[in-house]
Amino acid sequence: MTQKPNITMVDDAVTPQSSSLKTKQIKVWDILVRVTHWTVAAGIIANLLFTEDGSDLHQYVGYTVVGLVVIRLLWGLVGTRYARFTNCFPTPTRLKHHLSDISARRIDRDHLGHNPLAALMMFTLWAVIIGLGLTGYLMESNILGNKDLLEESHELLANSLYLLVPLHIISAIVMSYWQRQNLIKAMVTGNKTLPDSPSTMK
């Protein structure tokens, strides 16, 4: 009589995995990506909360931030793998697949750096920052006659950051929890900790 193999059914949802799950560190963000990210963040906070509108310091900080954004945009074309926009550009197909991974709490291994949703936020923030720099320069240079319109546009763009910046921070915190991944720490170290094999994060 042939003995049947002893098969034990394991419920992954209730079985601790942290003790047996093998992980690895993956370098996703290079030093330029990280430095520009945090320096731009510091400049935005400084100009929103601490510098006086129209002051020399306000202008210097603003132009520095715009310059850093331009450098980051260029790096997105020629930089390292995960810095390039070709790796995360938010096409409809990429957004659909990424949302599917999020709903299933899977790691999106096609976008280990910035994902398509994060790319949408990045491009929006960068557009606002460049718009602030342009309207600020035009106001100070008096190239265009309608200074009131420029001031209103500059103020509108600046006020939009009071919504976009908290949204960006909250999204990072929520996704860190949802994906079991400390995204803020990863943007400091450049590394993400991932399981060796594709898995559903539950």
Side-chain angles (χ1 to χ4, degrees):
M1 181 176 180
T2 304
Q3 185 177 6
K4 293 183 180 180
N6 184 17
I7 300 176
T8 303
M9 301 301 293
V10 179
D11 185 354
D12 290 338
V14 298
T15 301
Q17 299 180 19
S18 58
S19 61
S20 61
L21 184 65
K22 293 183 179 180
T23 61
K24 58 184 176 182
Q25 293 280 318
I26 297 181
K27 192 77 170 183
V28 293
W29 289 311
D30 59 65
I31 187 66
L32 190 144
V33 169
R34 288 176 281 144
V35 168
T36 54
H37 177 274
W38 292 113
T39 309
V40 166
I44 289 174
I45 293 172
N47 266 7
L48 286 178
L49 302 179
F50 300 110
T51 65
E52 182 180 352
D53 292 351
S55 67
D56 289 343
L57 179 59
H58 186 87
Q59 293 179 47
Y60 293 149
V61 171
Y63 292 142
T64 299
V65 169
V66 171
L68 289 169
V69 168
V70 171
I71 290 172
R72 178 63 182 90
L73 286 170
L74 293 175
W75 193 240
L77 300 176
V78 300
T80 54
R81 174 184 175 184
Y82 294 110
R84 294 191 182 190
F85 301 139
T86 52
N87 187 260
C88 65
F89 194 82
T91 64
T93 300
R94 282 179 172 176
L95 287 168
K96 180 181 178 180
H97 289 167
H98 182 65
L99 289 172
S100 176
D101 286 334
I102 289 176
S103 64
R105 300 192 82 172
R106 288 191 300 264
I107 296 174
D108 185 352
R109 290 177 177 269
D110 291 330
H111 306 102
L112 294 181
H114 289 105
N115 60 62
L117 284 178
L120 280 177
M121 175 59 73
M122 286 191 313
F123 292 140
T124 302
L125 284 168
W126 292 341
V128 170
I129 291 169
I130 291 173
L132 282 167
L134 182 60
T135 53
Y137 173 76
L138 291 175
M139 281 192 298
E140 295 301 320
S141 62
N142 293 318
I143 293 177
L144 297 179
N146 196 339
K147 192 172 182 178
D148 290 340
L149 178 60
L150 290 171
E151 289 179 352
E152 290 176 3
S153 300
H154 191 81
E155 183 177 359
L156 178 63
L157 290 169
N159 288 338
S160 72
L161 291 176
Y162 287 107
L163 172 64
L164 292 173
V165 171
L167 179 61
H168 178 52
I169 295 171
I170 292 170
S171 297
I173 294 172
V174 170
M175 292 311 300
S176 291
Y177 167 78
W178 187 252
Q179 296 183 332
R180 304 290 192 269
Q181 184 73 238
N182 191 331
L183 298 177
I184 297 175
K185 179 182 177 182
M187 184 51 76
V188 174
T189 65
N191 299 322
K192 278 190 173 182
T193 303
L194 301 173
D196 277 336
S197 59
S199 62
T200 300
M201 303 294 288
K202 289 186 178 181

